[in-house]
Amino acid sequence: MVNVILLGPPGAGKGTQAKRLVDERGMVQLSTGDMLREARTSGTAMGRRVAEVMDRGELVTDDIVIGLIAEKLAQGAKGGFIFDGFPRTLPQADALGDLLEKMDQGLDAVIEMQVDDAALVARVSGRYTCGQCGEVYHDQTRPTKVDGVCDACGSHDLRRRADDNADALRTRLMEYYKKTSPLIGYYYAKGQLAPVDGLAEIDAVGAAIAKILDKS
Ligand code: AMP
C-alpha cells in the first residue's frame, strides 16, 4: 500500500494521472477540488461561500479542506490514497502529516508534476470533464470520440469548470506560486520529492509515476 501526493499547478495533469492510479492500482483518489465542487451544490451557506472563492480562483480556508480530508481518511483505503490538489499550503501539509501519523501511516512519495505556464493556459482553457465518471477531455488534444458523449461511461453529462477561464486561471496560478510551491522545498527537505516531466505524453507520465511508486 502506498500513499502519494500529486503536486503541481492547475492543468499539470494531476486529475488525469490520479484516475489512472485508481484504475490500475485500486488506490483511492482524494481530490479536495472534487469534494468542494460537490459541497457547493449542497445549497448550504458554506457551499455558497466556497463557490464564490473557487470561482475567483482563490484557495478556500485550510480548516475546510483539512476537515474534508480527515473525514475521508477515516474511511481507509486498501490500495492507498492519492492526494490530488491537497495539500496546497504549508499548514495543510503539516495537518496531513499529523493525520497520517495518527493512523500509523506516512507518505511514500510526493510527485511534482512539472509543466510550464504557457502549456497550462492551453490545457486548462480547452478542458472539459464527465460529470458522472470524472474522465478528463480536451478540445484539441483529447476530444470525445462521439461529440457530447463520454468515451468511458457513455454519459452525456460533459461539463466545463467555471474557474477554467483566463481571469480565474491567472489567480489560480498566482495562488499556486505563492502558497503551494513552497511545498516543493518542504517535501524535498524530507527526501520525499520526485519530479516528473508533466509535458510528456499521458502514458509516459503514467509510466514515470509507476516507476517511482514501485520503488517506494
Ligand atoms: P482543483 O480542482 O484542484 O483545481 O481545485 C479547484 C478549486 O478548489 C481551487 O482553485 C480552490 O479554490 C479550491 N481548492 C481545491 N483544493 C484546495 C485546497 N487543498 N486548499 C484550498 N483550496 C482548494
Side-chain angles (χ1 to χ4, degrees), residues 181-203:
S181 68
L183 299 186
I184 294 171
Y186 177 95
Y187 288 117
Y188 174 78
K190 288 175 178 277
Q192 290 173 316
L193 195 73
V196 157
D197 175 11
L199 283 175
E201 291 288 318
I202 290 177
D203 285 347

Side-chain angles (χ1 to χ4, degrees), residues 18 26 90 101 105 107 152 168 175-176 209:
L90 291 168
E101 200 179 300
Q105 291 189 35
L107 279 171
E175 291 281 78
Y176 177 78
I209 292 173

Side-chain angles (χ1 to χ4, degrees), residues 10 14 31-34 36-37 50 53-55 57-62 65 84-89 92 127 161 163 172:
K14 302 185 294 291
S31 158
T32 41
D34 285 349
L36 291 166
R37 275 184 287 280
V50 162
V53 174
M54 287 175 84
D55 287 351
E58 293 166 10
L59 295 188
V60 310
T61 57
D62 289 335
V65 285
D84 161 12
F86 178 92
R88 264 177 156 100
T89 64
Q92 289 179 24
R127 173 159 82 171
R161 285 170 43 166
D163 59 349
R172 286 159 70 199

Side-chain angles (χ1 to χ4, degrees), residues 27-106:
M27 297 175 74
V28 171
Q29 176 186 12
L30 296 187
S31 158
T32 41
D34 285 349
M35 294 175 207
L36 291 166
R37 275 184 287 280
E38 210 174 294
R40 60 184 285 175
T41 61
S42 63
T44 59
M46 189 272 247
R48 279 192 296 276
R49 267 202 315 277
V50 162
E52 278 172 29
V53 174
M54 287 175 84
D55 287 351
R56 284 199 300 269
E58 293 166 10
L59 295 188
V60 310
T61 57
D62 289 335
D63 293 359
I64 292 179
V65 285
I66 292 167
L68 289 170
I69 286 285
E71 232 172 80
K72 298 280 179 182
L73 282 180
Q75 295 168 12
K78 276 211 189 78
F81 291 105
I82 310 152
F83 298 97
D84 161 12
F86 178 92
R88 264 177 156 100
T89 64
L90 291 168
Q92 289 179 24
D94 281 334
L96 177 61
D98 291 347
L99 285 167
L100 288 172
E101 200 179 300
K102 278 197 199 114
M103 298 165 58
D104 274 333
Q105 291 189 35

Side-chain angles (χ1 to χ4, degrees), residues 149-164:
V149 183
C150 174
D151 295 354
C153 76
S155 145
H156 288 69
D157 182 13
L158 298 173
R159 306 177 185 179
R160 282 179 204 273
R161 285 170 43 166
D163 59 349
D164 276 352

